């Protein structure tokens, strides 16, 4: 609901009140071409950026190009799938048309497009969209729905100032995203190098000297002093739990955490929706009670292959049948095992050893058959230390991103309702 108290000088308007033109995009089943006009799709919209570099090309008639032409200032809404995605064409674009899952809007001079974009992203507008699409099997929104969306509209100069403040925060989020992408690439490169070249051997002073001799192996090129053995040779437990009788009805509000596949991500855990079971149920599932440093691997469904290692200070927990416990012997560091299973070498084996027909799955025998490089614990721990440093940097960046997103969310609530007013220069109010 829009605030009953409209700030002085502001209006409650529908998007249709300042819409000059709207049009649904070009429908085609054509194959993409090596030349032609660009085709803007939902995936090319980045709230508010439009990524022309990622667009495919189509061969269309001049008539179709003119009918669906993208111009500077156009506002493109996603009408299906990724509802909430939009793009504003900031510059005069190359020859581009827009696809049928987009709707092109053109606004009059009453509004600043970037202000409209920020309002469109806000919880207030998204709640209106959700109310429109509620109950529909296929979530979509048409032009008439969009035109009915209501928003608070301050004077044009104030719109511009609000958009500038919020876009400054967006730029900070974009910068963090860029750093995350760069760090992910660094991590991937390091994993590839460390699992093929290692760290080296230590001399009498404890310094690491690179390996000088290499061999071909079932895992590819690797140091000559390394061995390739099966994971089963270096584990004391490979097994999973069960879903308690009654399924989700057996869960309780608090108690012993039951880790399910949705809680196990690549290299970390997501426990905001963890289920709990009673002490009695936990005791019945004693074969799958967890211990600190257990390696947990998802073995069924879409998340198959995701792997994470329980922390040293882990207390109590259990797993269901979709999560496998891998408890390593002293010859394999559990964190090294986790990193390896999440690497390209580990993931390739997981996908090559699937079982279950149409249902993706891994059995315990296959997991024990995974090939893993075996070498000194000291070098394993050194590899873990290097990769953990990069992982810690990624975690810090993710935290910064989350905090900045929360900052923006708070600013939007204040600025887009007029609770906080942006100062205007004397030239702006003249």
């Amino acid at each position: 609901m829009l605030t009953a108290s409209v700030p002085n000088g502001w209006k409650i308007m529908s998007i249709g009140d300042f819409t000059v033109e709207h049009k649904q995009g070009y429908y085609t089943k054509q194959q993409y071409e090596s030349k032609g006009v660009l085709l803007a799709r939902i995936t090319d919209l980045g709230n508010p950026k439009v990524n022309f570099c990622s667009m495919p090309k189509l061969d269309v008639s001049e008539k179709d190009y003119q009918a669906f032409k993208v111009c500077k200032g156009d506002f493109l809404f996603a009408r299906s799938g990724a509802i909430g995605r939009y793009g504003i064409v900031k510059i005069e674009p190359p020859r581009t048309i827009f696809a049928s899952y987009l709707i092109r809007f053109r606004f009059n001079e009453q509004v600043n497009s970037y202000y409209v974009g920020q309002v469109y992203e806000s919880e207030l507008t998204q709640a209106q969209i959700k109310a429109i699409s509620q109950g529909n099997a296929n979530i979509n929104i048409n032009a008439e729905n969009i035109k009915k969306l209501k928003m608070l509209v301050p004077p044009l100069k104030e719109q511009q100032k609000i958009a500038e403040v919020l876009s400054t925060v967006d730029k900070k989020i974009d910068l963090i995203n860029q750093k995350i992408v760069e760090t992910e690439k660094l991590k991937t490169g390091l994993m590839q190098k460390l699992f093929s070249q290692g760290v080296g051997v230590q001399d009498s002073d404890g310094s690491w000297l690179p390996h000088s001799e290499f061999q071909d192996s079932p895992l590819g090129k690797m140091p000559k002093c390394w061995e390739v053995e099966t994971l089963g040779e270096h584990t004391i437990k490979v097994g999973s739990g069960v879903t308690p009788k009654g399924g989700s009805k057996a869960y309780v509000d608090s108690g012993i955490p039951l880790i399910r596949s949705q809680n196990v991500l690549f290299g970390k855990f997501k426990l905001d929706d963890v289920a709990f079971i009673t002490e009695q149920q936990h005791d019945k599932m004693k074969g799958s009670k967890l211990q600190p440093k257990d390696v947990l691997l998802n073995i069924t469904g879409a998340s198959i292959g995701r792997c994470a290692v329980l922390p040293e200070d882990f207390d109590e927990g259990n797993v269901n049948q979709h999560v496998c416990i891998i408890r390593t012997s002293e010859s394999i560091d559990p964190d090294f095992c986790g990193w390896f299973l999440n690497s390209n070498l580990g993931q390739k084996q997981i996908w090559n050893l699937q079982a279950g027909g149409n249902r993706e799955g891994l059995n315990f025998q296959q997991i024990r058959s995974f090939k893993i490089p075996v070498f000194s614990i000291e070098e394993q721990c050194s590899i873990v230390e290097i990769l953990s440093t990069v992982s810690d940097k990624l975690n810090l960046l993710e935290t910064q991103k989350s905090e900045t997103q929360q900052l923006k969310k708070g600013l939007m609530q204040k600025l887009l309702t007029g609770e906080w007013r942006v100062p205007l220069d004397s030239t702006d109010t003249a």
Side-chain angles (χ1 to χ4, degrees):
M1 295 292 291
L2 291 175
T3 178
S5 176
V6 180
N8 185 36
W10 289 36
K11 302 175 184 176
I12 295 178
M13 299 180 73
S14 298
I15 288 181
D17 293 338
F18 47 80
T19 296
V20 174
E21 176 192 332
H22 65 80
K23 186 179 183 69
Q24 188 172 316
Y26 178 75
Y27 178 78
T28 179
K29 290 186 177 180
Q30 291 174 244
Q31 295 291 322
Y32 297 147
E33 304 285 349
S34 58
K35 60 182 180 179
V37 301
L38 298 176
L39 178 69
R41 306 156 301 169
I42 293 174
T43 53
D44 303 311
L45 308 184
N47 296 31
K49 295 179 181 178
V50 179
N51 185 4
F52 292 95
C53 297
S54 64
M55 294 179 189
K57 294 178 180 178
L58 281 181
D59 183 15
V60 301
S61 67
E62 183 63 23
K63 180 181 178 181
D64 283 337
Y65 169 65
Q66 292 298 333
F68 298 97
K69 179 180 179 181
V70 174
C71 300
K72 180 180 179 180
D74 284 354
F75 201 117
L76 301 174
F77 289 95
R79 71 175 183 87
S80 180
I83 301 297
R85 188 83 67 88
Y86 71 93
I88 301 172
V89 184
K90 185 177 182 180
I91 59 173
E92 197 60 52
R95 286 171 62 87
T96 307
I97 61 174
F98 58 104
S100 59
Y101 288 109
L102 302 181
I103 304 175
R104 180 189 67 197
F105 270 69
R106 289 173 177 166
F107 301 138
N108 62 28
E109 295 180 353
Q110 288 181 275
V111 294
N112 176 286
S113 290
Y114 289 91
Y115 176 80
V116 176
Q118 295 292 349
V119 176
Y120 189 68
E121 284 185 53
S122 70
E123 288 185 344
L124 180 61
T125 305
Q126 291 305 306
Q128 293 181 66
I129 293 172
K130 186 176 180 180
I132 291 168
S133 358
Q134 199 164 13
N136 294 337
N138 297 315
I139 298 175
N140 58 72
I141 186 169
N142 59 36
E144 292 306 313
N145 295 147
I146 292 173
K147 288 169 68 176
K148 290 175 184 176
L149 296 174
K150 294 188 178 297
M151 56 188 286
L152 282 167
V153 181
L156 191 59
K157 291 292 186 180
E158 196 167 355
Q159 291 178 44
Q160 183 178 343
K161 290 289 185 180
I162 291 171
E164 286 173 0
V165 171
L166 294 175
S167 66
T168 300
V169 185
D170 284 335
K171 288 175 184 176
K172 183 175 180 180
I173 294 172
D174 286 343
L175 181 60
I176 295 171
N177 280 331
Q178 183 181 337
K179 289 180 179 178
I180 288 173
V181 170
E182 292 169 353
T183 309
E184 285 283 7
K185 286 182 180 178
L186 172 64
K187 185 179 79 171
T188 301
L190 278 173
M191 290 171 77
Q192 185 175 349
K193 181 176 181 180
L194 290 169
F195 289 123
S196 62
Q197 300 180 30
V199 176
V201 294
Q202 286 181 297
D203 62 16
S204 56
D205 297 326
S207 300
W208 289 98
L209 302 175
H211 291 290
S212 57
E213 294 184 283
F214 294 86
Q215 61 178 327
D216 292 327
S217 79
L219 295 175
K221 177 185 173 184
M222 57 183 276
K224 197 170 183 179
C225 60
W226 289 14
E227 300 288 342
V228 175
E229 299 177 0
T230 64
L231 183 59
E233 295 176 72
H234 299 274
T235 55
I236 57 177
K237 180 180 179 63
V238 175
S240 64
V242 296
T243 294
K245 188 175 181 180
S248 60
K249 293 180 181 178
Y251 300 154
V252 292
D253 293 336
S254 63
I256 305 298
L258 179 71
I259 294 180
R260 300 167 292 167
S261 57
Q262 61 260 50
N263 305 127
V264 182
L265 308 183
F266 284 110
K268 59 186 177 182
F269 294 97
K270 179 177 179 288
L271 301 176
D272 54 351
D273 66 341
V274 70
F276 294 96
I277 56 176
T278 63
E279 287 274 5
Q280 292 80 2
Q281 183 64 52
H282 182 51
D283 289 336
K284 288 179 184 178
M285 300 166 60
K286 59 183 178 181
S288 53
K289 287 185 176 182
L290 295 171
Q291 296 180 11
K293 306 307 288 185
D294 277 348
V295 181
L296 302 187
L297 174 70
N298 288 350
I299 56 175
T300 65
S303 67
I304 188 171
R306 294 199 311 224
C307 179
V309 183
L310 291 172
E312 192 77 58
D313 59 355
F314 181 80
D315 187 13
E316 274 191 303
N318 217 303
V319 294
N320 67 6
Q321 74 270 31
H322 304 298
V323 180
C324 179
I325 302 167
I326 301 172
R327 195 166 293 153
T328 60
S329 63
E330 293 182 356
S331 55
I332 296 290
D333 179 83
D335 288 305
F336 173 80
C337 180
W339 277 109
F340 179 78
L341 291 178
N342 281 330
S343 73
N344 287 337
L345 291 173
Q347 291 294 300
K348 185 177 179 180
Q349 293 184 73
I350 289 169
W351 286 103
N352 288 340
L353 287 173
Q354 285 185 64
N358 292 329
R359 180 174 173 79
E360 297 171 328
L362 291 168
N363 61 47
F364 303 147
Q365 183 180 350
Q366 289 174 318
I367 294 168
R368 292 189 186 96
S369 74
F370 288 164
K371 289 180 170 57
I372 187 168
V374 180
F375 45 91
S376 72
I377 283 290
E378 290 77 17
E379 189 173 5
Q380 290 180 42
C381 291
S382 182
I383 288 173
V384 168
E385 184 179 357
I386 293 168
L387 293 175
S388 296
T389 300
V390 182
S391 183
D392 289 344
K393 182 179 179 181
L394 274 172
N395 290 337
L396 178 61
L397 288 169
E398 291 287 357
T399 300
Q400 290 175 350
K401 178 180 175 179
S402 178
E403 290 173 348
T404 309
Q405 287 173 328
Q406 285 299 116
L407 169 65
K408 184 186 175 185
K409 185 177 177 182
L411 282 172
M412 290 172 83
Q413 177 62 31
K414 301 292 186 182
L415 294 174
L416 299 178
T417 61
E419 183 178 347
W420 286 358
R421 304 293 293 268
V422 292
L424 299 177
D425 299 333
S426 57
T427 52
D428 293 331
T429 56

